[in-house]
Amino acid sequence: MRYRFLLFLVFFTSRIFGQGASLTGIVLDATTEKPIQGVTVKLSNTTKSVGTNKEGQFSMSSMPDNWTLIFSAVGYKKQLFPMSVAQGKKVLIIRLEDEQQSLDEVVVLAPKRKKYSNKHNPTVDLIHKVIERRDENNALNAAIGNYREYEKLSMSLAIQNQKVDKSRLLKRFVFLKQGMDTLKYPGRSLVPIFMDEKIGQRQLDKAKGNTFVLLGENQSRVDQYLDEDGIDEYLDKIYGETNIYDTDVSIGNRRFLSPIATLGPSFYKYYLVDTLKEKKPWHVKIRVEPRNREDALFSGYIYIRLDGTYALDQAELSINEATNINWVRSLNIELNYVEDKAHRFFLSRGVLRIDLGIFKDGMGLFGEKVTNRSVLDSLQLSLNVKGVTGRGAENPNAINWEQTRPEKLSKLEQQAFTNIDSLKQSKSFKNLMALGSFIMSGYYGRGVIEIGSVPSFYSFNPIEGSRFKFGGNTTDAFSKTLLLEGYAAYGTRDRQWKYNLGATYSFNKQSVYKFPVKLLSVKVNKEVQVPGQDFNFIDNDNFLLSFRRGENDKMFYLQRRQVEYFQEFENHLSFKLGFFNQILSPAGILKFDHSAFRRSRDNELWTSAFTGELRWAPEEKIYQGKRYRRIINTGKPVFTLAAQIGVKGVLGGDYNYQRFIFSANKRFYGSQFGFTDAVFESGIQFGKVPYPLMIIHRANQTYSYQLNSYNLMNSMEFMSDKYTSLLLQHSFNGFFLNKIPFLKKLDLREIASVKVLYGKVDASNRYTKNFDTTPKHPSEPQLFSLNRGAYVEGSVGLSNIFKILRIDLVRRFTYLDNPGVSPWGVRAKIGVDF
């Protein structure tokens, strides 16, 4: 920041003209490390005092050796500093603690403070007026609006100053030291590694919503060896729109309640600090503090206009160290709002700074996002397009960045471009990125072929025994539009080979993974299948999934030939059309009754079917890995309608049937009360088919907790030809535990869930008589319908254990008389979240 540079100038001039007769210093907030304006610096036993300026600086001359400096400010604990200690320092750095941090000491040393209350509190009355006018003052609520918008995101490695010389990274890449910034972040040196700036037009239309038209982007980054599109989406989620005129401010998956939200007075304390008469119109400066320091709330200052609008046009906010949020060592927000012609207020400049790190004193990742916005009088964005960067996919309008930026890049930001260019030429760096890519994706290789997925190369199960697998696929170096993939696997117990061969072609002339895709795929495989189990984003034979509860001796051998067309659209509407022909044969204790299944082939069930799927996920954001996608949950709904039409007589298919399944899922945010994930699903199947072709409900027999499966249901326990289910899971984010002494220091978070499944098997659709009865032969499975009522299970759990672990106690409430049922279970899950 500028204050470090100015401090140097103050000290330099004092050494020239005063020769040590004066003392200079800076006063910082102990929590946020931000300078504090208006601190009174008084010399004890005298009337001599000065105040700190906007940069938190002060200077005093003719200082005696044996007296004491007294630092005091509204909202902060008074601090004494002996001059005998200060005289030996070039620049005095004082860190003041806020009064809330030292409340226990105040109680001991002084009369008890009056208990804070919203009643008869003029500051709270003023906040209520701000809240009443909030929506009216918010420019984003206008029927229509157009803004020129520029944003830049810079990220740097943050290394403690005393550890710079010992850093192995800087010893390996010596040139990075040339671009370090030691002033912007007190106590840490910043090494720039990422720079991204965008310019475009934001259009507000109540009928069409809030849209951003990107006109140009300028990047310098090291993650191009990884999945850069997905990383962009994650960065957008972490450094998202920061607007406290909204009820919540989203940072990652956490939502921080705005101080001027409707529920603000229930969770915040408000203190009147000053009336600023030098500003026109007059403003009041209000300090806001969370009632409970562990909750996701802000601390800092807000500035309210006293012109009758009760508009907030400036804010300086941060979070304290006790806040129950992971990996964030510090977070600071600066917001400035400007009044438009309609007398509404829009965010003209916003700064969000976050220091991310696993360990408090270890290397961190410091990011700063700056947003500049100005009103446009027309729908066209006026840019200088005389261009020095040239046209391209990221700069279609040939934008001259030097002339178009509303503010110049800092030296740190400019250095990012130099650093990245140098890193990309380093062999050591390329090897480091290859290792990072392998850890994230499970695939290894930088040529035309990569090997993977490594975590599935060895696994085990009761049918195959030890399973050994080897495979891989082509990379973009081979072809961006054509992907070839395959593997071979062998089980030591069943002594059978399994395989998969596939080819995918992109009609978009771009990578088969780049959104929106338009591709055709053909696959041939033979595999073992666990009936009714569906594993998202990981291989079914992942090593960790080998560990399962109960008996896992009922599986199918599946031989399938499949062709599928898949297309996505920019509005995140997509569809699939396909056809498959497959042969099912039993494995383990399963045996097929050929008299009921197929007259001409024992132990085989032949099926041919056309498939289709329609999916709509408005405003969806995704992390696209090398071989998978992960949804970045933004609270928007996702709707899916899937169909499967079995046809008899086509390529040996034996059955006519029709299956339709509709599902919808959505996350509902409750601000300080956490969020709820809801999944609704309903399906129906027509046609008389044997049990392997019925709807087999998803049972999870691993020890990993799965939201979309039933964690205490046994494999192949329940089947239906029509069903409806509702899964609800609420994450409280520590709402209760944050208020319990001692426990609140552990940063634990509460989770509760309930799952209800209704189903039915029509009597005319039972090929076997095993439903709800004991089978006559041990080789036949015992099957159950849900005709006696709903299947219900629930769970309570704790997440954020050691910041990565979740443990749930699961309870099954119905159908407890079924064989092999466990009414209680413990499940665990590993995940990284804020």
Side-chain angles (χ1 to χ4, degrees):
M1 286 184 176
R2 300 193 307 272
Y3 68 82
R4 286 287 189 178
F5 177 67
L6 292 175
L7 269 180
F8 171 76
L9 292 180
V10 171
F11 170 69
F12 183 74
T13 53
S14 69
R15 296 295 294 171
I16 292 178
F17 297 104
Q19 291 297 317
S22 65
L23 176 69
T24 62
I26 184 170
V27 182
L28 304 175
D29 186 299
T31 301
T32 67
E33 292 288 336
K34 291 180 58 176
I36 307 174
Q37 180 182 6
V39 178
T40 300
V41 185
K42 184 177 184 297
L43 191 63
S44 63
N45 301 319
T46 72
T47 59
K48 185 176 183 179
S49 65
V50 296
T52 59
N53 62 16
K54 186 176 180 180
E55 307 295 339
Q57 304 161 12
F58 69 91
S59 178
M60 299 184 75
S61 59
S62 302
M63 302 298 296
D65 293 338
N66 55 352
W67 287 0
T68 300
L69 285 176
I70 304 172
F71 297 85
S72 60
V74 176
Y76 289 92
K77 178 186 175 183
K78 183 182 294 183
Q79 186 173 144
L80 307 181
F81 203 95
M83 281 302 305
S84 57
V85 177
Q87 289 288 355
K89 297 182 177 295
K90 295 180 179 179
V91 178
L92 186 61
I93 301 179
I94 299 296
R95 292 177 172 82
L96 296 185
E97 296 181 351
D98 60 36
E99 287 184 328
Q100 190 168 353
Q101 289 180 316
S102 56
L103 185 57
D104 293 338
E105 298 178 21
V106 174
V107 172
V108 174
L109 299 177
K112 187 174 181 180
R113 296 178 60 188
K114 183 179 179 180
K115 185 177 179 180
Y116 181 90
S117 174
N118 284 347
K119 292 183 178 180
H120 310 297
N121 187 331
T123 307
V124 176
D125 294 339
L126 175 61
I127 291 297
H128 279 299
K129 293 181 179 179
V130 174
I131 294 172
E132 290 173 4
R133 300 289 298 274
R134 183 192 65 189
D135 292 340
E136 181 181 343
N137 286 327
N138 187 2
L140 295 182
N141 290 333
I144 192 170
N146 293 279
Y147 299 91
R148 176 184 183 274
E149 188 169 300
Y150 168 85
E151 66 177 38
K152 60 181 177 180
L153 173 62
S154 61
M155 304 195 74
S156 306
L157 298 177
I159 307 173
Q160 283 188 312
N161 290 337
Q162 61 268 31
K163 295 183 178 180
V164 167
D165 293 334
K166 300 178 182 179
S167 171
R168 296 176 61 184
L169 178 70
L170 297 183
K171 288 180 179 179
R172 175 174 292 185
F173 307 107
V174 181
F175 59 86
L176 291 177
K177 285 188 176 182
Q178 300 175 2
M180 287 195 309
D181 188 318
T182 59
L183 300 178
K184 190 169 191 176
Y185 190 174
R188 292 184 179 268
S189 298
L190 301 181
V191 180
I193 61 169
F194 175 93
M195 180 65 196
D196 181 21
E197 52 182 343
K198 302 175 183 177
I199 193 164
Q201 180 177 354
R202 181 144 326 255
Q203 300 175 350
L204 303 181
D205 191 318
K206 281 194 173 182
K208 299 180 180 180
N210 187 332
T211 59
F212 177 74
V213 180
L214 179 67
L215 297 178
E217 184 171 13
N218 189 25
Q219 289 188 337
S220 179
R221 52 195 299 168
V222 300
D223 59 309
Q224 290 166 336
Y225 291 88
L226 305 175
D227 304 304
E228 59 183 53
D229 292 338
I231 290 177
D232 280 344
E233 295 291 353
Y234 267 127
L235 291 177
D236 285 344
K237 186 172 180 63
I238 296 173
Y239 296 89
E241 175 74 14
T242 305
N243 182 14
I244 60 174
Y245 270 91
D246 294 332
T247 299
D248 296 305
V249 175
S250 298
I251 299 174
N253 285 329
R254 300 302 304 275
R255 295 209 165 191
F256 288 74
L257 185 70
S258 168
I260 60 172
T262 303
L263 292 176
S266 299
F267 292 93
Y268 281 102
K269 297 178 180 179
Y270 303 89
Y271 300 96
L272 181 61
V273 175
D274 197 5
T275 300
L276 306 178
K277 298 182 179 180
E278 69 275 10
K279 299 184 68 174
K280 300 297 181 183
W282 288 5
H283 286 66
V284 289
K285 181 180 181 181
I286 297 175
R287 182 170 178 82
V288 297
E289 293 289 347
R291 291 174 179 265
N292 184 60
R293 290 167 51 81
E294 284 75 18
D295 288 341
L297 301 166
F298 294 111
S299 300
Y301 299 96
I302 58 176
Y303 298 79
I304 308 300
R305 295 165 64 107
L306 294 179
D307 58 353
T309 63
Y310 298 103
L312 181 153
D313 62 5
Q314 187 179 348
E316 301 164 358
L317 303 172
S318 63
I319 62 173
N320 60 69
E321 293 182 353
T323 302
N324 188 345
I325 183 171
N326 297 330
W327 326 116
V328 177
R329 296 192 296 210
S330 68
L331 185 151
N332 297 282
I333 299 174
E334 298 174 6
L335 304 173
N336 290 280
Y337 293 84
V338 171
E339 187 176 10
D340 61 17
K341 293 181 179 179
H343 303 295
R344 293 175 180 264
F345 293 80
F346 66 92
L347 180 65
S348 63
R349 189 176 191 274
V351 181
L352 171 62
R353 302 183 184 95
I354 305 178
D355 181 19
L356 300 171
I358 298 176
F359 304 106
K360 182 176 181 181
D361 297 327
M363 182 185 296
L365 189 63
F366 177 82
E368 179 182 77
K369 180 180 179 180
V370 179
T371 302
N372 277 277
R373 194 174 289 156
S374 58
V375 175
L376 288 175
D377 294 328
S378 66
L379 295 178
Q380 297 298 321
L381 183 60
S382 176
L383 293 172
N384 186 326
V385 293
K386 295 179 180 179
V388 294
T389 55
R391 292 182 182 272
E394 294 182 345
N395 194 19
N397 296 297
I399 294 169
N400 187 324
W401 290 99
E402 293 297 328
Q403 298 183 26
T404 305
R405 294 187 187 104
E407 56 185 63
K408 292 185 176 296
L409 296 182
S410 66
K411 289 185 177 180
L412 180 73
E413 294 163 343
Q414 293 174 0
Q415 187 64 36
F417 293 95
T418 302
N419 283 357
I420 302 315
D421 290 340
S422 300
L423 281 173
K424 290 178 180 179
Q425 304 303 318
S426 168
K427 185 177 179 180
S428 297
F429 173 75
K430 291 179 181 179
N431 291 333
L432 185 63
M433 287 294 97
L435 176 62
S437 177
F438 169 71
I439 293 173
M440 293 180 66
S441 69
Y443 285 79
Y444 177 78
R446 284 179 288 171
V448 297
I449 296 177
E450 60 183 5
I451 306 302
S453 164
V454 174
S456 66
F457 278 4
Y458 173 76
S459 60
F460 57 89
N461 60 68
I463 306 302
E464 297 177 281
S466 291
R467 173 188 168 101
F468 296 92
K469 173 182 170 183
F470 184 79
N473 47 253
T474 59
T475 67
D476 288 349
F478 171 78
S479 172
K480 282 191 174 182
T481 58
L482 178 63
L483 171 71
L484 304 178
E485 58 185 334
Y487 66 76
Y490 183 78
T492 58
R493 177 172 296 177
D494 65 356
R495 298 182 179 180
Q496 291 196 36
W497 283 96
K498 294 87 184 175
Y499 58 85
N500 177 72
L501 296 173
T504 303
Y505 179 77
S506 172
F507 294 96
N508 285 339
K509 305 302 179 183
Q510 61 185 15
S511 171
V512 296
Y513 300 106
K514 187 173 181 61
F515 177 87
V517 302
K518 183 180 180 182
L519 50 85
L520 179 70
S521 63
V522 179
K523 293 183 180 180
V524 178
N525 66 0
K526 178 183 178 182
E527 259 300 354
V528 290
Q529 181 189 60
V530 180
Q533 292 199 358
D534 180 21
F535 299 95
N536 294 322
F537 317 126
I538 53 177
D539 296 314
N540 289 359
D541 53 358
N542 185 287
F543 172 74
L544 295 178
L545 297 181
S546 299
F547 300 93
R548 304 189 183 190
R549 62 178 176 84
E551 298 294 334
N552 294 279
D553 50 5
K554 297 186 287 292
M555 295 187 185
F556 297 142
Y557 286 111
L558 172 67
Q559 299 179 63
R560 174 177 286 196
R561 294 157 292 278
Q562 175 180 306
V563 59
E564 185 176 74
Y565 177 81
F566 178 32
Q567 182 169 351
E568 295 175 320
F569 299 94
E570 291 286 353
N571 63 355
H572 291 275
L573 179 69
S574 64
F575 71 87
K576 295 179 182 178
L577 294 174
F579 173 82
F580 70 81
N581 172 254
Q582 69 180 20
I583 305 173
L584 283 177
S585 55
I589 69 168
L590 292 184
K591 298 292 181 182
F592 288 172
D593 182 356
H594 70 276
S595 64
F597 285 13
R598 184 178 176 86
R599 293 189 299 272
S600 58
R601 295 182 178 92
D602 289 345
N603 290 333
E604 286 186 354
L605 191 156
W606 289 52
T607 309
S608 295
F610 292 95
T611 61
E613 180 182 285
L614 185 64
R615 184 178 184 271
W616 184 44
E619 301 180 42
E620 181 180 52
K621 294 184 179 296
I622 57 176
Y623 174 84
Q624 178 63 68
K626 283 189 173 291
R627 299 295 171 260
Y628 57 83
R629 284 183 177 181
R630 289 180 180 167
I631 305 301
I632 301 176
N633 205 321
T634 59
K636 302 297 183 180
V638 178
F639 305 97
T640 305
L641 177 62
Q644 188 177 120
I645 310 297
V647 288
K648 184 176 181 179
V650 176
L651 297 180
D654 288 323
Y655 303 98
N656 289 317
Y657 65 91
Q658 303 83 39
R659 178 188 298 178
F660 303 94
I661 297 177
F662 171 79
S663 65
N665 63 79
K666 188 184 185 319
R667 174 168 290 181
F668 298 89
Y669 287 98
S671 189
Q672 292 300 291
F673 303 101
F675 60 86
T676 299
D677 288 311
V679 181
F680 172 82
E681 189 172 288
S682 185
I684 187 169
Q685 181 165 302
F686 304 98
K688 189 176 182 181
V689 295
Y691 73 84
L693 296 182
M694 294 181 65
I695 300 172
I696 302 175
H697 297 294
R698 292 185 297 270
N700 171 32
Q701 289 196 250
T702 72
Y703 292 98
S704 172
Y705 182 88
Q706 296 179 9
L707 173 62
N708 293 323
S709 300
Y710 301 96
N711 294 285
L712 288 178
M713 183 183 292
N714 292 327
S715 178
M716 289 187 68
E717 183 178 357
F718 292 103
M719 303 178 193
S720 302
D721 51 26
K722 53 181 69 69
Y723 74 97
T724 297
S725 66
L726 180 63
L727 287 64
L728 297 174
Q729 175 178 274
H730 187 80
S731 300
F732 292 92
N733 281 337
F735 181 79
F736 298 107
L737 295 178
N738 286 345
K739 299 169 178 60
I740 301 177
F742 304 110
L743 283 179
K744 65 183 182 180
K745 296 182 178 181
L746 299 178
D747 289 339
L748 299 176
R749 301 171 187 172
E750 323 86 334
I751 296 180
S753 73
V754 61
K755 303 177 182 182
V756 181
L757 170 65
Y758 290 91
K760 182 180 180 182
V761 175
D762 193 273
S764 63
N765 196 30
R766 301 184 182 185
Y767 254 80
T768 69
K769 297 181 180 180
N770 294 351
F771 278 99
D772 306 322
T773 63
T774 302
K776 296 180 180 180
H777 304 288
S779 63
E780 295 179 351
Q782 185 163 6
L783 312 174
F784 293 92
S785 68
L786 292 161
N787 290 2
R788 290 190 289 138
Y791 173 90
V792 182
E793 73 174 40
S795 69
V796 292
L798 292 176
S799 67
N800 210 43
I801 302 171
F802 307 119
K803 299 187 185 301
I804 60 172
L805 181 63
R806 165 181 171 175
I807 297 179
D808 287 79
L809 177 64
V810 188
R811 167 66 172 171
R812 174 169 167 165
F813 296 101
T814 58
Y815 294 95
L816 299 179
D817 54 344
N818 285 2
V821 166
S822 298
W824 295 94
V826 176
R827 301 291 178 266
K829 184 178 182 181
I830 293 177
V832 178
D833 200 357
F834 281 99

